[in-house]
Amino acid sequence: MNTQPTLAKEGGSTGDPGRTPPSDGLKAGLKNRHLSMIAIGGVIGAGLFVGSGSGIAAAGPAILLSYALVGAMVVFVMRMLGEMAAARPSSGSFSSYADQALGRWAGFTIGWLYWFFWVVVLAVEATAGAVILESWIPAVPQWAWALIVMVVLTATNLASVASYGEFEFWFAGIKVVAIGAFVVIGMLAVFGVLPGSDNPGAGFAHLTDAGGFMPMGAGAILTGVLMVVFSFMGSEIVTLAAGESEDPQRAVTKATNSVIWRIGVFYLGSIFIVLTLLPWNDPSIVEKGSYVAALDSIGIPAAGQIMNVIVLTAVLSCLNSGLYTASRMAFSLGQRGDAPKAFAKVDKRGVPRAAILSSVVFGFVAVFFNYEWPDTVFAFLLNSSGAVALFVWLVICVTQLRMRGIILRESPEKLVVRMWLFPYLTWATIGMIVFVLGYMIYDGGSAREQVVLSLLVAALVLAIALVRERVRKTAASRV
């Protein structure tokens, strides 16, 4: 097993991280405004809008602590990833860094697991978007809507990276404006200064007036952590996208520095508003969804349809970014010889066409499984990718422990973003992630199934990586 650090083969990994277009064939087609909005909106998924009600019902107002704990973990992970990405921008991001710091087996394993995660997400998001669209235009069947959505966004990604960036700029912009407006309007209602508001019960008292701040006990905070952790997945996308910008170092530094306020406003801020507008045990929070229930409580007309539009935007944004992310990871794996060579080829527009098409084909197959065998085959795919987010964060932490020394030894001037309190906070974050994984197994039910199945898939991919490494070494020794 080769664990000696080696220089990355990808463009941008060893060159000037400043204003230098990527040298691996990809075009520097993403502008600063694209990267800024991807960074801001990338962390906001449909899970925040759709799944937060269940978390509130499970933990009460203490769900804020669940979001704060996971948010802190994501802030630390992003700081570590930002340190590596600012020094060595790469389209493979953490997979490329794991390859360099831990060995090819690590880059291969986490790269393919991450690709697998996102192509399964493509099916989930395409189906979610199709459900909303069919409710508006029932004449078109749900499967047809899923197909239309996938084809349109595939065409966008095939056109150019700038097309992806432009679509994501507007998708993310709508999400950001929507949550910003929700926080402002909600805060006005909480303080009783919103004109026309008909929610006389709004106020900070709702944080404690229905059984206290922790009505379900302190243990419910950890249950809440399991329910909200996966809604944060996607914050790392900006480090992959930065490899196709003209100034990757600036983009990564800006995204890393802004992650704290993004999580504070969009997650903690918006959930805080819901909890101050309504008692946590109000049935409408689960029945209608937390945001719709909150808007209804202050008399916002057509709140449900407004939220459907926003959720559809979040779904399309996640689908768009998922396809982009899966294809760039496949491209990076191809460049390192860990995927078919065709994945590393780009067309005249600098687009990795084969990597995109292979990712979307698997996404189409997964959509088919979702319609034909939702409770068997697709359930297996979903559960076996469920804990990959935590695996990715864990690998980022372990990689950063070694990459810091490599960067200091080879190019210390590029260490412009530094992890705080290194290495203590890195080790603390590793402990937090391992604890969450352990608690998922202890908690039982679907959480345990996700960890076990994800571990089995990870073990299979790791075994393939180790066999490949041994075969490669044997072949090299015979030369």
Side-chain angles (χ1 to χ4, degrees):
M1 185 184 303
N2 178 25
T3 57
Q4 294 300 312
T6 56
L7 290 176
K9 297 177 182 178
E10 295 192 53
S13 301
T14 59
D16 179 15
R19 294 183 177 277
T20 304
S23 58
D24 51 14
L26 297 174
K27 292 288 181 67
L30 294 176
K31 300 177 181 177
N32 285 335
R33 65 181 179 88
H34 294 152
L35 267 296
S36 296
M37 197 56 74
I38 290 170
I40 294 172
V43 78
I44 308 169
L48 174 62
F49 300 106
V50 178
S52 54
S54 299
I56 292 171
I63 194 68
L64 288 170
L65 297 180
S66 303
Y67 274 104
L69 284 171
V70 179
M73 192 162 64
V74 172
V75 167
F76 297 151
V77 170
M78 279 298 294
R79 186 74 184 184
M80 288 180 253
L81 185 54
E83 175 181 299
M84 297 182 287
R88 296 184 173 188
S90 166
S91 61
S93 188
F94 50 84
S95 173
S96 174
Y97 309 140
D99 192 314
Q100 298 171 54
L102 306 177
R104 290 194 66 171
W105 61 272
F108 178 96
T109 303
I110 203 63
W112 277 113
L113 284 176
Y114 194 67
W115 178 87
F116 174 58
F117 171 86
W118 279 111
V119 292
V120 173
V121 167
L122 292 181
V124 174
E125 300 298 334
T127 303
V131 169
I132 295 174
L133 289 166
E134 186 191 30
S135 70
W136 293 342
I137 309 176
V140 180
Q142 194 179 114
W143 66 266
W145 279 122
L147 181 64
I148 291 169
V149 166
M150 289 278 280
V151 168
V152 169
L153 292 180
T154 300
T156 299
N157 275 266
L158 285 172
S160 68
V161 69
S163 299
Y164 156 73
E166 199 64 31
F167 266 70
E168 192 57 25
F169 175 81
W170 291 105
F171 286 154
I174 292 172
K175 290 188 290 185
V176 169
V177 170
I179 294 185
F182 176 80
V183 170
V184 171
I185 292 171
M187 192 60 72
L188 291 175
V190 168
F191 285 104
V193 294
L194 181 68
S197 174
D198 54 1
N199 186 343
F204 297 105
H206 284 326
L207 294 175
T208 57
D209 65 3
F213 185 72
M214 298 183 186
M216 313 299 285
I221 297 172
L222 294 176
T223 302
V225 165
L226 303 187
M227 300 182 77
V228 307
V229 66
F230 300 108
S231 65
F232 283 84
M233 189 65 172
S235 53
E236 70 288 333
I237 290 175
V238 68
T239 63
L240 282 84
E244 292 179 79
S245 68
E246 293 181 353
D247 193 354
Q249 188 183 81
R250 178 178 180 273
V252 169
T253 303
K254 187 176 180 181
T256 302
N257 291 335
S258 66
V259 70
I260 297 176
W261 72 260
R262 285 186 277 136
I263 289 174
V265 172
F266 298 135
Y267 280 84
L268 288 171
S270 60
I271 297 300
F272 176 80
I273 292 299
V274 172
L275 290 168
T276 50
L277 288 175
L278 289 166
W280 69 271
N281 55 358
D282 190 307
S284 65
I285 290 179
V286 174
E287 294 169 2
K288 298 179 179 179
S290 55
Y291 290 82
V292 174
L295 291 173
D296 277 343
S297 74
I298 56 178
I300 301 295
Q305 286 303 320
I306 292 173
M307 195 51 59
N308 271 340
V309 172
I310 296 169
V311 170
L312 178 62
T313 302
V315 163
L316 294 177
S317 170
C318 191
L319 211 165
N320 191 38
S321 287
L323 181 53
Y324 171 83
T325 305
S327 66
R328 281 356 182 234
M329 187 56 71
F331 171 81
S332 175
L333 288 165
Q335 279 219 313
R336 287 177 273 145
D338 291 332
K341 291 182 180 179
F343 286 8
K345 295 180 180 179
V346 298
D347 61 19
K348 61 183 180 182
R349 294 187 297 272
V351 173
R353 181 177 294 271
I356 292 173
L357 291 176
S358 63
S359 300
V360 81
V361 164
F362 194 97
F364 276 124
V365 171
V367 169
F368 173 75
F369 288 157
N370 195 14
Y371 283 105
E372 287 296 316
W373 303 289
D375 300 322
T376 52
V377 179
F378 187 74
F380 171 80
L381 291 177
L382 200 60
N383 286 323
S384 60
S385 65
V388 168
L390 291 167
F391 295 169
V392 167
W393 295 346
L394 189 60
V395 167
I396 289 171
C397 295
V398 176
T399 300
Q400 191 261 341
L401 284 172
R402 296 205 65 189
M403 278 296 289
R404 168 67 73 91
I406 296 172
I407 296 169
L408 283 175
R409 185 169 59 251
E410 297 181 359
S411 49
E413 74 282 357
K414 295 178 182 177
L415 198 62
V416 294
V417 177
R418 289 175 179 259
M419 177 58 182
W420 308 294
L421 299 176
F422 178 84
Y424 309 108
L425 204 48
T426 300
W427 279 111
T429 307
I430 290 173
M432 290 169 64
I433 296 171
V434 171
F435 177 80
V436 171
L437 285 168
Y439 190 78
M440 288 177 72
I441 295 175
Y442 169 79
D443 192 56
S446 62
R448 176 183 295 170
E449 186 178 5
Q450 285 181 9
V451 174
V452 172
L453 288 178
S454 296
L455 282 172
L456 287 174
V457 171
L460 175 63
V461 178
L462 176 59
I464 294 172
L466 294 176
V467 169
R468 283 170 51 89
E469 189 72 11
R470 176 162 293 188
V471 170
R472 188 181 292 113
K473 285 186 176 181
T474 301
S477 65
R478 292 175 178 172
V479 175

